[in-house]
Amino acid sequence: MNKKCLGCGSVLQTDSINKEGFIKSSVYDKADYCERCFKIMHYGEYSVLDKKIDTDGIVRNINSDRVASVIFLIDALNINDKTKKLINRFKNNKYILITKKDVLPKSLKENKLKEFIKENVYNTDNIMFVSAFKNYNIDTFLNKLYEDNVHRAYIVGFTNSGKSTFINHILTSLNKTPTITTSSIPNTTASYIAIKLNNKLTVVDTPGFIDTDAIYNFMNYGKLIKLYPKKELKVKTFQVRSGYSVIVNDILRIENIGNKLNSFSFYMNDKLRYEKIKNKNDKLKILPSIEFDINEPSDILINGLGFIRITKIGTVKVYALDNRLVSKRKSMIK
């Protein structure tokens, strides 16, 4: 019987160092993790699997399991049209978990965010906020699954939605050893990992879906992991007159090109470098740009990084590493 890596689900193999599941033959017999997972866990050395995630195949497999439920994890700072489309492809009974409760600013009220998701993403009463780091609602959610008589549940979501961390804290809450490899890079989980929690419930970790328009496709992973907030973020708000811009690190510039004063609130890592400059300053203007007319309170999404809330009518111009990173939606905060 083939051994599988406890961290990512890959079949352990000794033939090719560049393929998933590689382990040196000298340690194969006693190894529980592939070399890649071991280095992530113990040395913080990140590498990305050269493997295409078969999104269609995963959706088909889960939909064919008619007795199973789906637990869809969503990073509250990164809710876009792709999230909505993917959730609606699953035919199973669904639970929506908003992850990383610990990094959300207090201005994002749970009830308001639930309303936004029901109106704009997926209409269900099975919506709950969770935080793996603070064990917030983990036990409550498990009890909900037991009450609903769920016997098998697939845990799905986009890369960096917190799936593996969530599973590890479920294991911890049940006094079991956490085994899933966690990181902020794509393809950390390479295959299905079935975990029998008890005689009543089995959860299945699945490969994270890759959003080809997210920021992790356009940055070095060593720099990328520094962009994500590690604790509750403090919203940075700038009053920006016409003819002024706000720069974020070397990855983003947003200009007020309307005729009036506007307000830009950044719901992203507050440890990033923010700078207000005049539009005539050419800094970052080499980046691709896109303009948006703001006719109501709106959010400018920077896919994988967070969003910018704009409260007043006007026009903005956004420069980013790639135009695919940037989109607009009705404001999530009323």
Side-chain angles (χ1 to χ4, degrees), residues 214-241:
I215 197 165
Y216 49 70
N217 295 289
F218 306 100
M219 289 193 68
N220 172 276
Y221 297 109
K223 293 182 179 180
L224 179 64
I225 59 176
K226 298 177 182 179
L227 301 182
Y228 299 130
K230 301 296 189 297
K231 56 185 179 180
E232 181 183 341
L233 61 85
K234 298 176 182 178
V235 179
K236 295 278 190 179
T237 298
F238 296 85
Q239 302 304 316
V240 183
R241 288 183 291 165

Side-chain angles (χ1 to χ4, degrees), residues 44-66:
E45 293 183 13
Y46 299 96
S47 59
V48 182
L49 285 177
D50 185 18
K51 177 183 178 182
K52 188 178 186 300
I53 299 300
D54 183 8
T55 301
D56 293 339
I58 293 172
V59 173
R60 279 196 307 271
N61 287 341
I62 295 177
N63 283 340
S64 67
D65 191 345
R66 298 186 180 182

Side-chain angles (χ1 to χ4, degrees), residues 314-327:
T315 303
V316 298
K317 187 172 186 177
V318 182
Y319 297 82
L321 297 176
D322 192 284
N323 282 343
R324 289 173 291 174
L325 289 170
V326 188
S327 60

Side-chain angles (χ1 to χ4, degrees), residues 2-181:
N2 290 327
K3 292 177 64 176
K4 285 191 174 183
C5 173
L6 294 179
C8 67
S10 299
V11 174
L12 294 180
Q13 53 86 17
T14 60
D15 297 327
S16 177
I17 193 172
N18 295 318
K19 292 184 179 179
E20 62 185 86
F22 175 77
I23 190 72
K24 293 177 181 177
S25 57
S26 58
V27 296
Y28 178 87
D29 290 338
K30 61 182 180 180
D32 292 320
Y33 294 90
C34 68
E35 187 172 284
R36 174 175 174 268
C37 283
F38 188 87
K39 288 181 177 180
I40 290 174
M41 295 166 65
H42 295 284
Y43 303 112
E45 293 183 13
Y46 299 96
S47 59
V48 182
L49 285 177
D50 185 18
K51 177 183 178 182
K52 188 178 186 300
I53 299 300
D54 183 8
T55 301
D56 293 339
I58 293 172
V59 173
R60 279 196 307 271
N61 287 341
I62 295 177
N63 283 340
S64 67
D65 191 345
R66 298 186 180 182
V67 300
S69 294
V70 168
I71 303 170
F72 201 108
L73 272 61
I74 303 175
D75 179 348
L77 296 179
N78 292 291
I79 302 173
N80 54 34
D81 284 343
K82 287 192 175 183
T83 305
K84 177 179 179 179
K85 291 176 181 177
L86 188 54
I87 288 175
N88 282 281
R89 291 185 64 184
F90 290 100
K91 307 303 180 185
N92 317 65
N93 179 48
K94 290 183 276 285
Y95 297 86
I96 308 299
L97 295 189
I98 312 301
T99 61
K100 306 178 186 176
K101 164 68 177 172
D102 44 304
V103 305
L104 297 181
K106 291 182 172 59
S107 57
L108 281 176
K109 302 300 182 183
E110 289 190 16
N111 288 339
K112 293 294 185 181
L113 187 49
K114 285 181 181 179
E115 289 178 13
F116 177 86
I117 291 172
K118 291 177 72 171
E119 293 174 3
N120 298 280
V121 180
Y122 185 72
N123 189 7
T124 179
D125 291 326
N126 289 330
I127 301 174
M128 188 178 293
F129 285 78
V130 296
S131 168
F133 293 110
K134 295 185 178 179
N135 202 33
Y136 180 75
N137 272 345
I138 302 293
D139 294 334
T140 301
F141 178 66
L142 281 176
N143 288 333
K144 171 66 173 172
L145 295 181
Y146 297 143
E147 291 171 5
D148 291 350
N149 204 30
V150 174
H151 297 296
R152 185 163 55 255
Y154 292 86
I155 301 180
V156 303
F158 285 103
T159 286
N160 204 34
S161 62
K163 294 189 303 89
S164 298
T165 302
F166 171 68
I167 294 174
N168 280 340
H169 280 267
I170 287 180
L171 292 171
T172 300
S173 72
L174 296 174
N175 296 316
K176 295 178 180 290
T177 302
T179 57
I180 309 299
T181 302

